[in-house]
């Protein structure tokens, strides 16, 4: 995830994070990678855990994804850092895990493209939403500004252009929106790198 510099009007590098992406899990390497993740998660320069999560469209066995994600949830909660979640066609499982684990840290569903109903459901369970280029307009409009994050992910648009489009969709001033969302980044990630 990137954020936006209000003064220079450009994107900063990605937020330093450690990931355990569901696309790249193997049975053999899982334990080792979880141990690495656990070590790195507590390092002060690491500001978030992720991407991690669940993806029903990828080849990794779902059982293995669940096994890995459950552990990552615990590691992120113990480290007290936001969990950046990759969630594809697995919203019910995600909601069930949130309820079951009741973590104290923030969960952010990244690259959210779902409909407004899904946006509302995730927010009701306390999950924040991060939108990129392919956002659903009604979902964005149904998202509380306190729970809103903006990212480029794999888009060819700049972060500034994505903010512009969102500001238009929300009928708000772009600079105001950047300012508002930056507050969320600072609240959740603390000392953002220059
Ligand atoms: Zn992702």
């Amino acid at each position: 995830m990137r954020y936006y510099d209000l003064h220079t009007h450009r994107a900063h590098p990605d937020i330093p994070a450690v990931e355990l992406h569901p696309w790249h899990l193997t049975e053999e390497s899982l334990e080792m990678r979880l141990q690495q993740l656990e070590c790195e998660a507590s390092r002060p320069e690491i500001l978030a855990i992720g991407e991690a999560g669940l993806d029903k469209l990828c080849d990794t066995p779902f059982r293995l994804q669940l096994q890995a994600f459950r552990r990552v949830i615990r590691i992120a909660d113990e480290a007290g850092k936001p969990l950046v979640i990759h969630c594809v066609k697995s919203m019910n499982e995600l909601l069930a895990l949130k309820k079951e684990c009741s973590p104290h840290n923030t969960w952010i569903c990244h690259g959210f493209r779902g409909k407004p109903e899904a946006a509302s459901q995730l927010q009701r369970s306390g999950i924040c939403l991060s939108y990129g280029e392919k956002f659903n307009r009604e979902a964005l409009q149904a998202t509380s500004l306190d729970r809103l994050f903006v990212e480029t992910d794999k888009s060819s648009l700049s972060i500034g252009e994505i903010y512009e489009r969102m500001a238009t969709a929300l009928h708000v001033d772009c600079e105001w929106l950047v300012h508002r969302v930056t507050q969320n980044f600072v609240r959740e990630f603390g000392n953002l790198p220059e």
Side-chain angles (χ1 to χ4, degrees), residues 84-95:
V84 178
I85 300 163
H86 172 99
C87 179
V88 177
K89 305 237 179 271
S90 310
M91 197 178 86
N92 289 340
E93 289 83 355
L94 184 69
L95 290 168

Side-chain angles (χ1 to χ4, degrees), residues 4 160 162-165 167-168 172-179:
Y4 193 69
I162 293 174
Y163 268 112
E164 295 273 3
R165 290 184 184 194
T168 305
V172 296
D173 175 66
C174 187
E175 193 130 347
W176 179 85
L177 182 64
V178 171
H179 187 78

Side-chain angles (χ1 to χ4, degrees), residues 72-83 97-108 125-126 128 147 187-188:
V72 176
I73 288 171
R74 229 187 29 232
I75 291 169
D77 194 19
E78 279 167 10
K81 293 176 183 174
L83 179 60
L97 280 167
K98 182 75 163 58
K99 202 166 167 199
E100 177 196 317
C101 304
S102 58
H104 303 285
N105 63 333
T106 299
W107 285 19
I108 302 170
S125 82
C128 296
R147 294 197 187 279
R187 184 190 68 222
E188 295 304 335

Side-chain angles (χ1 to χ4, degrees), residues 6-76:
L6 277 170
H7 306 291
T8 61
H9 290 276
R10 60 178 177 77
H12 272 297
D14 280 337
I15 287 172
V18 279
E19 72 164 24
L20 194 68
H21 203 289
W23 293 351
H24 310 305
L25 297 175
T26 64
E27 201 89 55
E28 301 71 42
S29 66
L30 182 61
E31 197 48 46
M32 186 196 73
R33 295 195 55 207
L34 282 165
Q35 284 174 19
Q36 275 175 354
L37 186 84
E38 195 156 20
C39 286
E40 290 182 16
S42 60
R43 283 168 47 200
E45 62 272 32
I46 295 298
L47 303 184
I49 313 303
E51 298 177 26
L54 303 169
D55 187 339
K56 284 202 180 140
L57 298 184
C58 78
D59 291 334
T60 310
F62 199 68
R63 175 195 51 79
L64 185 64
Q65 295 185 39
L66 274 171
Q67 189 191 340
F69 190 44
R70 276 176 191 280
R71 292 275 299 275
V72 176
I73 288 171
R74 229 187 29 232
I75 291 169

